[in-house]
mmCIF file of all heavy atoms in Angstrom:
data_model
loop_
_atom_site.group_PDB
_atom_site.id
_atom_site.type_symbol
_atom_site.label_atom_id
_atom_site.label_comp_id
_atom_site.label_asym_id
_atom_site.label_seq_id
_atom_site.Cartn_x
_atom_site.Cartn_y
_atom_site.Cartn_z
ATOM 1 N N THR A 40 159.540 -72.466 156.577
ATOM 2 C CA THR A 40 159.230 -71.380 155.637
ATOM 3 C C THR A 40 158.698 -71.974 154.340
ATOM 4 O O THR A 40 158.897 -73.149 154.045
ATOM 5 C CB THR A 40 160.491 -70.564 155.271
ATOM 6 O OG1 THR A 40 161.359 -71.373 154.465
ATOM 7 C CG2 THR A 40 161.215 -70.062 156.500
ATOM 8 N N GLY A 43 161.060 -69.143 149.169
ATOM 9 C CA GLY A 43 160.982 -67.742 148.754
ATOM 10 C C GLY A 43 160.171 -66.851 149.672
ATOM 11 O O GLY A 43 159.849 -65.729 149.315
ATOM 12 N N VAL A 46 160.052 -63.804 155.963
ATOM 13 C CA VAL A 46 159.616 -63.990 157.348
ATOM 14 C C VAL A 46 160.265 -62.920 158.215
ATOM 15 O O VAL A 46 161.478 -62.710 158.145
ATOM 16 C CB VAL A 46 160.040 -65.381 157.889
ATOM 17 C CG1 VAL A 46 159.621 -65.552 159.344
ATOM 18 C CG2 VAL A 46 159.449 -66.490 157.038
ATOM 19 N N LEU A 48 161.147 -61.509 162.058
ATOM 20 C CA LEU A 48 161.191 -61.785 163.490
ATOM 21 C C LEU A 48 161.110 -60.442 164.199
ATOM 22 O O LEU A 48 161.905 -59.545 163.925
ATOM 23 C CB LEU A 48 162.503 -62.460 163.911
ATOM 24 C CG LEU A 48 162.958 -63.727 163.188
ATOM 25 C CD1 LEU A 48 164.197 -64.296 163.889
ATOM 26 C CD2 LEU A 48 161.860 -64.761 163.166
ATOM 27 N N MET A 62 172.019 -68.512 164.658
ATOM 28 C CA MET A 62 171.966 -69.985 164.641
ATOM 29 C C MET A 62 171.652 -70.486 163.228
ATOM 30 O O MET A 62 172.199 -71.479 162.778
ATOM 31 C CB MET A 62 170.904 -70.493 165.634
ATOM 32 C CG MET A 62 171.311 -70.284 167.082
ATOM 33 S SD MET A 62 170.249 -71.158 168.260
ATOM 34 C CE MET A 62 168.699 -70.298 168.106
ATOM 35 N N GLY A 65 174.665 -70.264 161.272
ATOM 36 C CA GLY A 65 175.743 -71.146 161.728
ATOM 37 C C GLY A 65 176.837 -70.401 162.471
ATOM 38 O O GLY A 65 177.886 -70.965 162.788
ATOM 39 N N ILE A 91 174.252 -68.936 152.716
ATOM 40 C CA ILE A 91 173.396 -67.925 153.328
ATOM 41 C C ILE A 91 174.159 -66.611 153.329
ATOM 42 O O ILE A 91 175.361 -66.598 153.601
ATOM 43 C CB ILE A 91 173.076 -68.325 154.791
ATOM 44 C CG1 ILE A 91 172.047 -69.459 154.792
ATOM 45 C CG2 ILE A 91 172.580 -67.151 155.599
ATOM 46 C CD1 ILE A 91 171.736 -70.003 156.164
ATOM 47 N N LEU A 125 182.691 -58.910 137.454
ATOM 48 C CA LEU A 125 182.282 -57.651 136.831
ATOM 49 C C LEU A 125 180.802 -57.693 136.447
ATOM 50 O O LEU A 125 180.024 -56.793 136.766
ATOM 51 C CB LEU A 125 183.136 -57.420 135.576
ATOM 52 C CG LEU A 125 183.047 -56.034 134.970
ATOM 53 C CD1 LEU A 125 184.037 -55.122 135.679
ATOM 54 C CD2 LEU A 125 183.335 -56.070 133.474
ATOM 55 N N GLU A 138 174.625 -47.936 140.167
ATOM 56 C CA GLU A 138 175.644 -48.200 139.146
ATOM 57 C C GLU A 138 176.581 -47.012 138.945
ATOM 58 O O GLU A 138 177.726 -47.190 138.548
ATOM 59 C CB GLU A 138 175.011 -48.673 137.833
ATOM 60 C CG GLU A 138 174.131 -47.660 137.102
ATOM 61 C CD GLU A 138 172.665 -47.740 137.514
ATOM 62 O OE1 GLU A 138 172.401 -47.857 138.729
ATOM 63 O OE2 GLU A 138 171.792 -47.648 136.642
ATOM 64 N N LEU A 148 179.645 -41.783 150.383
ATOM 65 C CA LEU A 148 178.239 -42.169 150.159
ATOM 66 C C LEU A 148 177.365 -41.710 151.317
ATOM 67 O O LEU A 148 177.843 -41.545 152.447
ATOM 68 C CB LEU A 148 178.133 -43.696 150.069
ATOM 69 C CG LEU A 148 178.959 -44.396 149.005
ATOM 70 C CD1 LEU A 148 178.815 -45.902 149.178
ATOM 71 C CD2 LEU A 148 178.527 -43.976 147.610
ATOM 72 N N VAL A 156 174.766 -50.621 149.255
ATOM 73 C CA VAL A 156 175.991 -51.364 148.940
ATOM 74 C C VAL A 156 176.050 -52.641 149.791
ATOM 75 O O VAL A 156 176.391 -53.720 149.302
ATOM 76 C CB VAL A 156 177.250 -50.497 149.159
ATOM 77 C CG1 VAL A 156 178.513 -51.298 148.885
ATOM 78 C CG2 VAL A 156 177.202 -49.244 148.285
ATOM 79 N N ARG A 160 176.263 -56.300 148.336
ATOM 80 C CA ARG A 160 177.324 -57.237 148.673
ATOM 81 C C ARG A 160 176.745 -58.620 148.995
ATOM 82 O O ARG A 160 177.335 -59.650 148.689
ATOM 83 C CB ARG A 160 178.072 -56.670 149.889
ATOM 84 C CG ARG A 160 179.372 -57.290 150.188
ATOM 85 C CD ARG A 160 180.101 -56.483 151.215
ATOM 86 N NE ARG A 160 179.335 -56.276 152.441
ATOM 87 C CZ ARG A 160 179.819 -55.743 153.541
ATOM 88 N NH1 ARG A 160 181.069 -55.333 153.583
ATOM 89 N NH2 ARG A 160 179.087 -55.585 154.609
ATOM 90 N N SER A 176 168.226 -49.864 160.825
ATOM 91 C CA SER A 176 168.086 -49.100 162.065
ATOM 92 C C SER A 176 169.053 -47.914 162.170
ATOM 93 O O SER A 176 168.870 -47.064 163.022
ATOM 94 C CB SER A 176 168.202 -50.006 163.283
ATOM 95 O OG SER A 176 169.343 -50.776 163.162
ATOM 96 N N MET A 212 154.990 -55.486 160.170
ATOM 97 C CA MET A 212 153.668 -55.659 159.557
ATOM 98 C C MET A 212 153.695 -55.349 158.063
ATOM 99 O O MET A 212 153.009 -55.991 157.280
ATOM 100 C CB MET A 212 152.647 -54.741 160.243
ATOM 101 C CG MET A 212 152.383 -55.085 161.683
ATOM 102 S SD MET A 212 151.457 -56.609 161.853
ATOM 103 C CE MET A 212 149.785 -56.000 161.712
ATOM 104 N N MET A 214 156.317 -55.479 156.005
ATOM 105 C CA MET A 214 157.243 -56.258 155.195
ATOM 106 C C MET A 214 156.974 -57.753 155.193
ATOM 107 O O MET A 214 157.175 -58.426 154.181
ATOM 108 C CB MET A 214 158.684 -56.006 155.653
ATOM 109 C CG MET A 214 159.105 -54.561 155.490
ATOM 110 S SD MET A 214 160.785 -54.292 156.036
ATOM 111 C CE MET A 214 161.699 -54.796 154.587
ATOM 112 N N ILE A 229 153.273 -67.060 165.202
ATOM 113 C CA ILE A 229 153.802 -66.864 163.849
ATOM 114 C C ILE A 229 152.597 -66.810 162.935
ATOM 115 O O ILE A 229 151.839 -67.780 162.847
ATOM 116 C CB ILE A 229 154.734 -68.013 163.407
ATOM 117 C CG1 ILE A 229 155.896 -68.166 164.386
ATOM 118 C CG2 ILE A 229 155.263 -67.753 161.990
ATOM 119 C CD1 ILE A 229 156.870 -69.282 164.025
ATOM 120 N N LEU A 274 128.175 -56.874 174.818
ATOM 121 C CA LEU A 274 128.839 -57.877 173.973
ATOM 122 C C LEU A 274 127.888 -58.339 172.878
ATOM 123 O O LEU A 274 126.672 -58.382 173.084
ATOM 124 C CB LEU A 274 129.253 -59.086 174.816
ATOM 125 C CG LEU A 274 130.261 -58.821 175.941
ATOM 126 C CD1 LEU A 274 130.498 -60.112 176.727
ATOM 127 C CD2 LEU A 274 131.586 -58.308 175.368
ATOM 128 N N GLU A 295 141.978 -47.016 167.172
ATOM 129 C CA GLU A 295 141.259 -46.664 165.940
ATOM 130 C C GLU A 295 139.814 -47.134 165.952
ATOM 131 O O GLU A 295 139.046 -46.787 165.063
ATOM 132 C CB GLU A 295 142.005 -47.211 164.703
ATOM 133 C CG GLU A 295 142.271 -48.707 164.680
ATOM 134 C CD GLU A 295 143.587 -49.094 165.355
ATOM 135 O OE1 GLU A 295 143.954 -48.472 166.367
ATOM 136 O OE2 GLU A 295 144.227 -50.062 164.876
ATOM 137 N N GLY A 341 139.928 -32.209 163.872
ATOM 138 C CA GLY A 341 139.012 -31.070 163.899
ATOM 139 C C GLY A 341 137.841 -31.212 164.852
ATOM 140 O O GLY A 341 136.971 -30.359 164.887
ATOM 141 N N ALA A 349 134.950 -33.429 179.791
ATOM 142 C CA ALA A 349 134.343 -34.727 180.099
ATOM 143 C C ALA A 349 133.777 -35.267 178.790
ATOM 144 O O ALA A 349 133.032 -34.568 178.108
ATOM 145 C CB ALA A 349 133.243 -34.559 181.121
ATOM 146 N N ASN A 367 146.056 -64.801 180.036
ATOM 147 C CA ASN A 367 146.166 -63.731 179.027
ATOM 148 C C ASN A 367 145.925 -64.191 177.596
ATOM 149 O O ASN A 367 146.302 -63.500 176.652
ATOM 150 C CB ASN A 367 147.532 -63.039 179.118
ATOM 151 C CG ASN A 367 147.666 -62.260 180.404
ATOM 152 O OD1 ASN A 367 146.713 -61.603 180.823
ATOM 153 N ND2 ASN A 367 148.818 -62.353 181.042
ATOM 154 N N PRO A 382 136.040 -52.480 142.033
ATOM 155 C CA PRO A 382 135.869 -52.507 140.586
ATOM 156 C C PRO A 382 137.065 -53.034 139.793
ATOM 157 O O PRO A 382 136.921 -53.349 138.631
ATOM 158 C CB PRO A 382 135.610 -51.029 140.236
ATOM 159 C CG PRO A 382 136.107 -50.241 141.403
ATOM 160 C CD PRO A 382 135.966 -51.123 142.586
#
Side-chain angles (χ1 to χ4, degrees):
T40 69
V46 178
L48 307 186
M62 290 191 292
I91 285 176
L125 192 85
E138 65 269 43
L148 302 174
V156 178
R160 194 169 56 171
S176 51
M212 294 289 274
M214 298 180 83
I229 302 180
L274 298 177
E295 56 272 37
N367 292 319

